Amino acid sequence: MSSTPQNPPPTREIEVRGLHKSFGDNEVLRGIDLEVGSGEVVCVIGPSGSGKSTLLRCVNLLEEPTRGQVFVGGTEVTHPDVDIDAVRRRIGMVFQQFNLFPHLSVTDNLTLPQRRVLGRDKAAAAKAAAENLRRVGLSEKADAYPASLSGGQQQRVAIARALAMGPQVMLFDEPTSALDPELVGDVLAVMRMLADEGMTMMVVTHEMSFAREVADRVVFMDGGVVVEQGDPARVIGNPAHERTRHFLSRLLDPAMADVENVEDAQNADDAARKSP
């Protein structure tokens, strides 16, 4: 590893080089190389256990890579001398769960991290909170408490909280997976708005319609490696690899699965993951 942080071209908002991550003997990431350009929306898809969420968490060092390098905005996140708090201020992250403080109002949930992390005064934090609640369509819920909100509303508050910090990059880890189906659309609409505004986004998702319509690029992962990536219409509509085709066929048309072939399919998946 170099003695000083390296600086990739500024058009690359995220760059991952040779990333490995192991938990004990379990190697979850097996040499990931990936770039996300400024203003680009990249959707990462793949089966459970493929390493998608671990990759996302390594980008802002919520998980420390076993080896490899991660750059955000030209700064090497994995460098031993990096100011990780400064880097994380560039990154907003939205998780599967909403992680709101139940004893605080919506506004207080948005203003608290601004005041503690960014050092904003009360008035400035409240102004940013109000603006971002407006962006996600929840201005009328400013004084509400999380328990009174639907799951979709809570996730939109979580997005507004991340946006209020002024990030250059947004990371989404299955943001709709905990929602009832009828609430998914509201959250995806907010994400589509951010994409239209030019926000750099890396999204781990199973929402294929969102990936097809909004993403600039789709990355398919399995077994801790990037199997293929490219234009959403090609990767989703006409994938080049059998592993991708098998995953999408089961995801897009689960009713066609034959119960007699479930074990064979699982064995095929297991064998595929053992080979890069």
Side-chain angles (χ1 to χ4, degrees):
M1 187 175 292
S2 62
S3 59
T4 58
Q6 299 177 34
N7 295 303
T11 53
R12 300 173 184 169
E13 200 62 57
I14 299 171
E15 184 172 3
V16 177
R17 301 178 182 172
L19 190 67
H20 290 254
K21 176 62 182 177
S22 296
F23 296 96
D25 295 333
N26 182 22
E27 191 175 21
V28 177
L29 300 178
R30 302 165 57 194
I32 301 292
D33 294 302
L34 183 65
E35 298 176 1
V36 180
S38 180
E40 189 178 19
V41 178
V42 173
C43 284
V44 184
I45 65 172
S48 298
S50 60
K52 307 182 302 296
S53 293
T54 300
L55 170 61
L56 209 65
R57 292 172 66 86
C58 284
V59 169
N60 64 356
L61 228 62
L62 289 177
E63 295 288 355
E64 187 171 348
T66 305
R67 69 179 187 270
Q69 294 173 290
V70 177
F71 298 85
V72 176
T75 299
E76 186 184 346
V77 177
T78 44
H79 193 277
D81 296 327
V82 73
D83 182 349
I84 188 59
D85 291 331
V87 174
R88 284 177 177 154
R89 285 194 282 270
R90 295 178 56 88
I91 305 171
M93 186 155 185
V94 178
F95 299 89
Q96 296 178 31
Q97 303 301 324
F98 321 124
N99 298 325
L100 301 177
F101 293 112
H103 62 291
L104 297 180
S105 69
V106 165
T107 292
D108 288 342
N109 265 283
L110 268 67
T111 57
L112 181 64
Q114 295 181 64
R115 298 178 68 183
R116 290 193 174 178
V117 177
L118 302 180
R120 287 178 180 163
D121 61 34
K122 186 174 182 179
K127 181 178 179 181
E131 169 60 20
N132 285 288
L133 285 174
R134 182 197 63 77
R135 292 174 75 191
V136 302
L138 290 175
S139 294
E140 76 283 1
K141 299 296 184 181
D143 296 324
Y145 284 80
S148 69
L149 305 179
S150 70
Q153 289 171 333
Q154 290 186 61
Q155 190 63 293
R156 286 152 64 196
V157 170
I159 294 172
R161 177 181 57 189
L163 292 173
M165 303 294 285
Q168 279 73 54
V169 175
M170 287 287 287
L171 308 178
F172 293 88
D173 186 7
E174 294 280 11
T176 61
S177 65
L179 302 180
D180 292 333
E182 67 269 21
L183 303 177
V184 168
D186 292 340
V187 173
L188 294 181
V190 170
M191 295 170 64
R192 186 176 289 106
M193 173 199 72
L194 295 178
D196 291 341
E197 292 177 355
M199 175 66 73
T200 304
M201 297 165 60
M202 189 171 173
V203 184
V204 170
T205 185
H206 281 102
E207 300 291 343
M208 291 301 105
S209 61
F210 177 85
R212 186 186 291 110
E213 296 167 12
V214 179
D216 297 295
R217 183 157 41 98
V218 168
V219 175
F220 173 69
M221 287 182 61
D222 195 13
V225 300
V226 173
V227 177
E228 67 175 300
Q229 61 179 301
D231 179 83
R234 185 194 64 75
V235 174
I236 297 175
N238 187 28
H241 291 261
E242 177 59 32
R243 291 161 72 181
T244 316
R245 289 194 292 271
H246 183 60
F247 166 75
L248 289 169
S249 68
R250 290 202 285 173
L251 182 67
L252 296 174
D253 198 1
M256 293 301 292
D258 186 341
V259 68
E260 294 181 357
N261 294 328
V262 168
E263 186 174 351
D264 289 342
Q266 185 61 58
N267 290 337
D269 280 352
D270 291 342
R273 290 190 183 111
K274 291 177 182 177
S275 60

